[in-house]
């Protein structure tokens, strides 16, 4: 496998298009049917398969129909907290907020003596 960071955007898009086409053919789906089920135009499907991915929304729709959304799972998952981060989060909520002494003194001054 190539280092994806060393590949140009055009090559990445071409490879994605090829993979989508292979998947579509393995599932015995025509371009027309894929376009209809994804709610996109036939020309959009043809362009994507050539590596001309113009719209992320269109790509998502095609991925969903071909059941390839798993490839994006790590991008939509909530990040997991490390044990240290979890500990800090829990204990940060338990720490008391210090009050300023001046507000306490004002409260005492307002109270009337009871004698």
């Amino acid at each position: 496998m190539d280092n994806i960071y060393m590949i140009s955007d055009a090559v990445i898009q071409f490879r994605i298009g090829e993979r989508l086409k292979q998947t579509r053919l393995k599932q015995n789906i025509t371009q027309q049917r894929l376009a209809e089920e994804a709610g996109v135009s036939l020309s959009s499907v043809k362009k994507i398969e050539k590596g001309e991915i113009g719209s992320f929304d269109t790509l998502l729709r095609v991925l969903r129909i071909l059941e390839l959304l798993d490839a994006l799972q790590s991008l939509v998952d909530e990040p997991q907290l490390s044990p240290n981060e979890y500990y800090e989060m829990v204990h940060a909520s338990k720490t008391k907020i210090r009050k300023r002494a001046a507000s306490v003194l004002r409260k005492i001054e307002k109270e009337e003596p009871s004698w």
Side-chain angles (χ1 to χ4, degrees):
M1 178 178 200
D2 296 329
N3 181 350
I4 196 160
Y5 294 98
M6 302 303 290
I7 303 171
S8 72
D9 293 349
V11 171
I12 292 171
Q13 289 184 30
F14 177 79
R15 288 184 182 179
I16 289 171
E18 285 291 313
R19 173 79 186 274
L20 295 177
K21 182 177 181 178
Q22 291 170 2
T23 303
R24 177 182 62 78
L25 292 173
K26 283 182 185 177
Q27 294 180 12
N28 200 26
I29 298 174
T30 64
Q31 287 180 324
Q32 181 65 42
R33 186 172 137 213
L34 176 59
E36 289 170 3
E37 289 185 22
V40 300
S41 68
L42 176 60
S43 64
S44 292
V45 170
K46 289 180 179 182
K47 285 179 182 179
I48 286 173
E49 289 186 356
K50 286 189 221 173
E52 299 171 14
I53 302 169
S55 165
F56 188 70
D57 178 57
T58 302
L59 178 62
L60 284 177
R61 290 172 183 225
V62 169
L63 289 172
R64 185 178 306 278
I65 298 303
L66 295 175
E67 298 179 353
L68 293 174
L69 278 177
D70 297 342
L72 302 177
Q73 187 70 45
S74 65
L75 295 175
V76 296
D77 283 344
E78 291 292 324
Q80 297 295 318
L81 295 177
S82 71
N84 288 340
E85 291 170 328
Y86 179 75
Y87 177 83
E88 289 173 8
M89 181 185 73
V90 169
H91 288 290
S93 65
K94 290 182 180 180
T95 58
K96 294 183 179 182
I97 299 172
R98 294 181 58 193
K99 294 183 181 177
R100 296 186 61 153
S103 63
V104 174
L105 290 176
R106 280 190 215 115
K107 185 177 177 183
I108 293 171
E109 291 171 357
K110 288 181 183 178
E111 292 179 6
E112 302 235 356
S114 59
W115 54 60

